[in-house]
Amino acid sequence: MFVAWRELWFARGRFGLLVGVVLLITVLVGLLSGLTAGLAGRNTSAVVGLGGDHVVFSGVDGVFGGTGLDEGVARAWAGTAGVERAERLGVSLGRAEAGGRSAGVAVFAVPSGSALRGVEPGQVVVSAGAADELGVKDGQRVTIGDVESTARLSTSDEYFSHAPVVWTHLPADARFSVLILSTSDCDIAKADAAIGTSTESTSDAVDRIGSFAAENGSLVLMRGFLFAISALVVGAFFTVWTIQRSGDIAVLKALGASTGYLLRDALGQAAVLLLIGTALGTGLAATIGAALGDAVPFVLDLATLLVPAAVLVGLGLVGAALAIRRVTAVDPLTALGSAR
Amino acid sequence: MSLILRSVTLTYPDGDRRLTALDAVDLHVPAGTVTAVVGPSGSGKSSLLAVAATLVRPDSGEVLVGETPVHGMDRRALAALRRRSIGIVFQQPNLLPALTAAEQLRVMAHLDGRRGTADLLAEVGMAELAHRRPHQLSGGQRQRVNIARALVNRPRVLLVDEPTSALDHARGAAIVDLITSTTRAHGVATVLVTHDRAHLAGVDQVVDLVDGRVRSR
């Protein structure tokens, strides 16, 4: 990178502009990644935290919510080979009131003795987020719909579809929304066909949370576009840069520089710019994310910061490589100027 | 160590026929001597230089750099040959704008995996301006750096393309004198292509090229 380093300093204005663009895109991608993960947590943390490995829905169009399943389905799954546990879960959205305050909540109903959560009749287990919004204390009365229960506070902070979760009791003969399975070597498809249900792994089941699928899809699409834009910007810059310096490349080739040497030099230059831009952008995104605190759901961790940065560098290098391959086409004869 | 061209013919496509740039050219440039190739524009001087520099493969004939025949070498081997055995002084100095005068020489050593560049800038009278970039140098100074760069890797052959075309008479004479003295000092076989016969007093051999043919010596 003998020439590359010196060009970086000599044309620092032009390269600084590119670093600035990469930095801004990295900040955008970093913030979007943190926000995507934060919003996903607000949508799905209660489902992901249920335990179990599969979720049984009433059919292929089944979603969390509703009362599509009954005791017969629960017994059928419980008796299926390879199913260790089949826990009933009712899911609905509603409003909870306590001490003159009310809040939208996700109501998770489980029967007595459920492995998902211990809730007795007349009791409601209030997650940390719901307790905070309702200002409710242990033993205080909470009304959900027209049912009044005694609050028992939980330290867990679970959310479903952007609402904090409260756990209520599900009567033994009540219909419910989904079954949470814990399985070991179970033929899920065969059981689904026999029982008439639709079962997903827990990681796939979150896509049946309507708000999550739409919201996450939009954010992931935006991030994808930013990745593509970054690669295109870097590719366009290095296309112009390579064309501008094709005379210098011809001279170096005429003097005996191999094409491999020139490609390594140019690609190294692109890598330096991308690393500087993404490092600065990632640092700025982390600072902004930390400053946001709890104001917005934002996840600040290695996955939301370093993975997008690595993707940006990788795609940027692909864009640069496609542009820089023009080096191979430069004819050293042009260095002689009047050769023809 | 010399440069030898034996019956070299080079043609270029020109519409539906071929234009003969070099027609059975023979040239022998012994080590430590300067051979001036003169001729009018379009006579084939630059084509001869391009063939000698291994930048163009002739249609027929043989080129030997030192004792090394160029024929049959692949692109990588030709680049290595240019790097180690051929120095080129371009018509326009073609210095890299981002590099200082000293770095113009160091890049040549770097291409060859070495560090040292000897004291060639001092030899061409540019030691004091080693830290300057091309835009901070005059035309004559740039041409001196151009010459020093061509000598960095201790080539066997030095190919010089119209070095005085952008210089006034006094500076042009000084540059040709410098080329002549460095040729003797480094024992290289130098081909000096020029259309200007005013500075040829110190060269060892003059070759007239007309329509791609060597007319007289």
Side-chain angles (χ1 to χ4, degrees), chain A residues 91-97 101-108 124-127 129-134 136 142-145 158-168:
Chain A
V91 179
S92 61
L93 293 172
R95 289 202 74 78
E97 294 178 12
R101 290 169 70 171
S102 71
V105 293
V107 182
F108 277 28
V124 57
V125 175
V126 183
S127 67
D132 189 47
E133 288 192 31
L134 290 168
V136 71
V142 175
T143 303
I144 299 171
E158 300 152 317
Y159 281 85
F160 174 84
S161 198
H162 291 289
V165 171
V166 295
W167 295 80
T168 62

Side-chain angles (χ1 to χ4, degrees), chain B residues 24-76:
Chain B
V25 169
D26 289 307
L27 186 68
H28 180 210
V29 185
T33 67
V34 178
T35 295
V37 177
V38 295
S41 181
S43 61
K45 304 189 299 294
S46 292
S47 293
L48 185 147
L49 208 66
V51 169
T54 74
L55 297 175
V56 174
R57 290 183 193 276
D59 296 18
S60 62
E62 193 176 21
V63 179
L64 286 92
V65 176
E67 279 88 36
T68 309
V70 170
H71 181 74
M73 284 188 174
D74 63 14
R75 194 178 294 182
R76 183 185 294 243

Side-chain angles (χ1 to χ4, degrees), chain A residues 294-321:
Chain A
D294 294 331
V296 292
F298 191 88
V299 175
L300 190 64
D301 60 17
L302 293 181
T304 56
L305 287 175
L306 294 190
V307 172
V311 172
L312 277 171
V313 171
L315 289 178
L317 282 175
V318 170

Side-chain angles (χ1 to χ4, degrees), chain B residues 153-182:
Chain B
N153 288 341
R154 303 196 176 287
R156 299 169 182 178
V157 171
L158 185 64
L159 305 173
V160 187
D161 186 15
E162 301 274 11
T164 61
S165 63
L167 303 176
D168 59 32
H169 182 80
R171 285 180 181 160
I175 289 296
V176 173
D177 287 346
L178 179 63
I179 290 165
T180 307
S181 62
T182 51

Side-chain angles (χ1 to χ4, degrees), chain A residues 18-34 223 226-227 229-231 233-234 273-289 298 300 304-314 316:
Chain A
L18 181 65
V19 167
V21 171
V22 173
L23 182 154
L24 290 174
I25 290 175
T26 307
V27 169
L28 272 177
V29 169
L31 292 178
L32 205 54
S33 298
R223 199 167 58 155
L226 283 173
F227 283 139
I229 288 167
S230 175
V233 167
V234 172
L273 292 173
L274 285 165
L275 287 172
I276 292 173
T278 50
L280 293 175
T282 301
L284 191 55
T287 305
I288 293 170
F298 191 88
L300 190 64
T304 56
L305 287 175
L306 294 190
V307 172
V311 172
L312 277 171
V313 171

Side-chain angles (χ1 to χ4, degrees), chain A residues 13-181:
Chain A
R14 269 174 284 181
F15 286 121
L17 285 174
L18 181 65
V19 167
V21 171
V22 173
L23 182 154
L24 290 174
I25 290 175
T26 307
V27 169
L28 272 177
V29 169
L31 292 178
L32 205 54
S33 298
L35 196 61
T36 302
L39 290 171
R42 290 292 177 99
N43 252 323
T44 64
S45 64
V47 171
V48 173
L50 283 172
D53 46 59
H54 285 84
V55 180
V56 179
F57 295 91
S58 57
V60 289
D61 296 328
V63 293
F64 287 93
T67 53
L69 300 180
D70 59 22
E71 184 62 24
V73 172
R75 274 200 299 272
W77 272 103
T80 300
V83 174
E84 295 168 354
R85 283 206 315 268
E87 302 288 352
R88 292 177 289 164
L89 177 67
V91 179
S92 61
L93 293 172
R95 289 202 74 78
E97 294 178 12
R101 290 169 70 171
S102 71
V105 293
V107 182
F108 277 28
V110 290
S112 298
S114 173
L116 300 178
R117 191 61 55 100
V119 184
E120 297 305 321
Q123 193 182 54
V124 57
V125 175
V126 183
S127 67
D132 189 47
E133 288 192 31
L134 290 168
V136 71
K137 293 185 174 61
D138 221 16
Q140 194 173 339
R141 302 294 283 174
V142 175
T143 303
I144 299 171
D146 54 359
V147 178
E148 194 175 68
S149 310
T150 302
R152 181 161 62 86
L153 298 193
S154 165
T155 54
S156 61
D157 195 15
E158 300 152 317
Y159 281 85
F160 174 84
S161 198
H162 291 289
V165 171
V166 295
W167 295 80
T168 62
H169 181 259
L170 180 71
D173 57 348
R175 294 177 69 83
F176 51 91
S177 309
V178 293
L179 274 173
I180 308 301
L181 302 182

